[in-house]
Amino acid sequence: MFSHPSTKKKMRNKYILVGIGLLVFIACKKDISERVVAEFEPSIVDNAGGTWKTVVLTNASEVTVVAPDAITSTAYQSELNTIIQSQTALSTMDKVAIRNWKNSGIIRWNEKARELVSKYNLPPEANPDGTYPAPSAANPAAYPNFPFSNPPYASRAYAYLSVAMYDALVSCWKYKFQFNRKSPAVNDARVKSLETIQSELPSYPSEDAVVAQVSYRVLKVFFPLDSVALESMAKEQKRAKNISGVASASDIAAGEVIANYVADKIIARSKTDGMGTAGGNPTLWAQLEAAALSHGTTTIWKSLEHPARPPMLPFFGNVKLWNFSTSQRDSMRPPPPPAVGSPDFQKALDEIHGYAAHPTSETWRIAMYWSDGAGSYTPPGHWNEIACNTFAKYNLNELRIARALSLMNMAIEDAGICCWDTKSYYYLPRPSQLNTDIKTIGLPNFPSYTSGHSTFSGAASTVLGYLFPSEKSSFDAMAQEASVSRMYGGIHYRFDCEVGLKCGKGIGSFAVQRGQADGSN
């Protein structure tokens, strides 16, 4: 008989999973950290960046920013004197902060988002009666903590963060080159430039303040229990840029005006995008099963956990899309998989049993590298890591990095929405449900067709291949490996993976079309 674990056991298990996830996170981000530490000068400043098309803003002018004081004004001179005074008494913590924020703030905030996804990517344990508790945004500190940052939730968090950064920075760029006020270290020789490399980018409004403030505002909505730490991180970034001679107090204040406006608008979108009803209820779950039978599925997916766990966000497919409409989603929904029990289906099932029964060192390596399960920053986070590694190689400015992440993460969330729509439409059982001899590296608690890993990866690789065409073949190879990893891990049939990868590439092409038309080229 199932007995409810004590709170102490719950917490012990949670900390074990968190510890494993953090070890994976630290190992995976090592390459990023080594790349980002090296100083670099962005190759271009994109002085027309303020004309680029935005996503949630109508255009960059939607936000109003007042003209700055003249550099000869008493107010601005007072700001400079404050910086000079601070630079005469820098603490060890100040020096560490300056070094920490010397390069891309966006990459650091993306890493923070991935760290938080890893921290909260923990499925709740069962209640004594065999039901499962659900995290509550209204009471995030109750067990289980809010959120459960599973792959769909994570894809949405990365998308909202990235779009907010991008729109805010497009507006920031508009006013930078409209007012063209240089940094304190350029305007006054008494102010030291403590970043070694002096940017030619105008400092009003401060792009660092934009990134810090909008990231803090958005991430605290998705991870409310970490609000204090997020606010502290934002304050550190802004102070580091001030005392290093990069941005004055009024530069930072103007950046905050833009960030707060954009944050308000994108948070409002998040409250009405349909995520609140993505979990469903027992009545709706039963309706999905009945509908799947009418769509040709003869054997319905069931949770193999004990006790049976409700499906993970079965209505995520109804969440608001970024790059196309719901009717386009429906038109792109793939055709039915092979019928359970048919020769084609049995061949696919036998293939997965073969991989599970006879793993090789290479198939095991691939399966584990792309596992991205509980305690990880999920498949969408894995692609964010790949993207950030690439940005550091190419010395992109903050606006270009924000654009790249927004295009990729909109595509990734759209991929998740379409994939979950397909999963709930067909409700196909996983290989291990039909052949209990198949041992898996994990047991995702939702239907099989199509593969989430494959769909996410197809979308991400398509966008990255567009952004960095010289590396397209490398991104495509990564996506292919991520896709087949789910076969090697006993989790998906070949048709799940092949169809998912194809769908993901099609979904990614919509983000590419957005990028081709946004004015940045």
Side-chain angles (χ1 to χ4, degrees):
M1 181 176 178
F2 180 84
S3 60
H4 182 57
S6 67
T7 301
K8 184 180 292 186
K9 181 181 178 184
K10 282 182 181 179
M11 296 308 295
R12 183 176 68 249
N13 291 345
K14 176 179 176 179
Y15 292 142
I16 289 170
L17 282 170
V18 169
I20 293 170
L22 286 175
L23 285 173
V24 172
F25 172 78
I26 291 167
C28 289
K29 81 170 189 174
K30 182 176 184 289
D31 189 43
I32 296 178
S33 301
E34 288 175 349
R35 292 178 189 271
V36 173
V37 163
E39 293 183 44
F40 63 84
E41 175 74 16
S43 54
I44 55 174
V45 296
D46 282 310
N47 59 348
T51 65
W52 295 0
K53 290 183 180 179
T54 46
V55 180
V56 295
L57 296 181
T58 52
N59 55 57
S61 300
E62 184 178 331
V63 187
T64 300
V65 176
V66 299
D69 292 325
I71 63 173
T72 56
S73 68
T74 301
Y76 187 70
Q77 289 299 312
S78 176
E79 292 180 23
L80 296 182
N81 288 332
T82 299
I83 296 172
I84 293 165
Q85 249 183 342
S86 297
Q87 289 185 340
T88 63
L90 292 177
S91 68
T92 301
M93 288 183 63
D94 287 335
K95 294 174 183 177
V96 169
I98 291 171
R99 175 169 172 77
N100 284 346
W101 293 102
K102 189 169 288 188
N103 290 299
S104 174
I106 292 178
I107 291 179
R108 285 207 69 202
W109 280 102
N110 185 276
E111 288 180 343
K112 183 63 177 179
R114 282 180 271 142
E115 177 188 323
L116 292 173
V117 167
S118 299
K119 178 179 178 180
Y120 291 99
N121 184 12
L122 298 170
E125 297 186 50
N127 292 317
D129 62 359
T131 62
Y132 286 88
S136 170
N139 188 12
Y143 182 83
N145 290 167
F146 177 87
F148 171 23
S149 52
N150 48 50
Y153 187 92
S155 73
R156 181 170 167 267
Y158 296 132
Y160 274 91
L161 174 64
S162 301
V163 171
M165 286 181 176
Y166 169 71
D167 272 19
L169 284 176
V170 171
S171 186
C172 179
W173 248 248
K174 174 200 181 304
Y175 290 108
K176 276 183 178 295
F177 288 95
Q178 177 176 324
F179 299 125
N180 202 32
R181 189 170 82 176
K182 300 298 184 181
S183 71
V186 171
N187 289 333
D188 192 325
R190 297 175 301 159
V191 177
K192 298 174 184 177
S193 177
L194 301 182
E195 291 207 348
T196 309
I197 296 174
Q198 182 62 52
S199 173
E200 292 301 311
L201 197 64
S203 69
Y204 183 92
S206 162
E207 71 275 19
D208 293 282
V210 166
V211 169
Q213 186 70 9
V214 83
S215 299
Y216 155 62
R217 288 283 312 279
V218 171
L219 285 176
K220 78 171 184 176
V221 171
F222 284 86
F223 303 98
L225 294 180
D226 287 77
S227 295
V228 173
L230 290 167
E231 184 178 22
S232 177
M233 185 172 170
K235 287 179 177 178
E236 182 190 75
Q237 182 179 4
K238 287 181 275 190
R239 174 168 169 76
K241 295 302 173 177
N242 180 240
I243 61 178
S244 63
V246 171
S248 69
S250 55
D251 295 335
I252 291 169
E256 290 174 336
V257 168
I258 295 172
N260 286 328
Y261 185 96
V262 173
D264 286 344
K265 193 156 189 176
I266 201 154
I267 289 168
R269 183 192 191 277
S270 75
K271 292 179 179 178
T272 59
D273 69 356
M275 185 65 176
T277 57
N281 57 54
T283 299
L284 294 175
W285 303 333
Q287 290 175 5
L288 282 179
E289 294 186 14
L293 292 172
S294 71
H295 300 148
T297 304
T298 57
T299 303
I300 296 297
W301 170 84
K302 299 291 183 183
S303 172
L304 298 185
E305 296 195 42
H306 300 287
R309 188 185 294 272
M312 180 191 291
L313 300 177
F315 294 95
F316 187 71
N318 295 332
V319 169
K320 187 176 181 179
L321 294 146
W322 292 100
N323 291 325
F324 47 89
S325 67
T326 300
S327 60
Q328 287 173 299
R329 177 207 68 188
D330 293 347
S331 69
M332 292 189 294
R333 186 184 297 129
V340 175
S342 68
D344 285 345
F345 185 91
Q346 191 60 44
K347 178 181 177 182
L349 180 61
D350 291 344
E351 180 183 22
I352 303 310
H353 179 254
Y355 285 130
H358 306 288
T360 67
S361 59
E362 181 63 1
T363 60
W364 179 250
R365 179 196 68 79
I366 291 171
M368 294 305 296
Y369 178 74
W370 293 99
S371 60
D372 297 329
S376 77
Y377 42 52
T378 73
H382 200 146
W383 280 100
N384 273 265
E385 177 195 16
I386 291 167
C388 287
N389 272 331
T390 307
F391 305 152
K393 282 171 54 180
Y394 284 90
N395 295 357
L396 302 185
N397 64 45
E398 292 291 74
L399 180 59
R400 287 276 167 185
I401 293 174
R403 172 180 175 263
L405 283 174
S406 68
L407 290 174
M408 185 187 74
N409 282 312
M410 283 190 288
I412 286 175
E413 189 189 0
D414 281 354
I417 291 167
C418 291
C419 180
W420 256 249
D421 167 72
T422 302
K423 287 179 181 293
S424 293
Y425 190 85
Y426 294 112
Y427 242 60
L428 188 75
R430 290 186 177 272
S432 56
Q433 179 180 333
L434 300 179
N435 184 340
T436 57
D437 289 336
I438 294 175
K439 306 305 178 186
T440 70
I441 62 169
L443 193 63
N445 200 66
F446 41 85
S448 190
Y449 183 74
T450 53
S451 157
H453 268 60
S454 302
T455 314
F456 287 134
S457 298
S461 63
T462 297
V463 175
L464 289 177
Y466 153 68
L467 294 168
F468 304 97
S470 65
E471 301 200 35
K472 183 181 185 303
S473 60
S474 176
F475 296 130
D476 287 344
M478 291 180 196
Q480 179 63 33
E481 184 176 274
S483 179
V484 298
S485 75
R486 307 311 273 172
M487 296 166 53
Y488 299 156
I491 291 171
H492 277 291
Y493 312 97
R494 180 174 293 277
F495 54 76
D496 288 346
C497 299
E498 291 180 345
V499 175
L501 192 61
K502 180 180 178 181
C503 287
K505 290 178 178 179
I507 292 161
S509 70
F510 284 89
V512 170
Q513 291 170 27
R514 179 189 283 273
Q516 290 170 334
D518 66 9
S520 66
N521 298 306

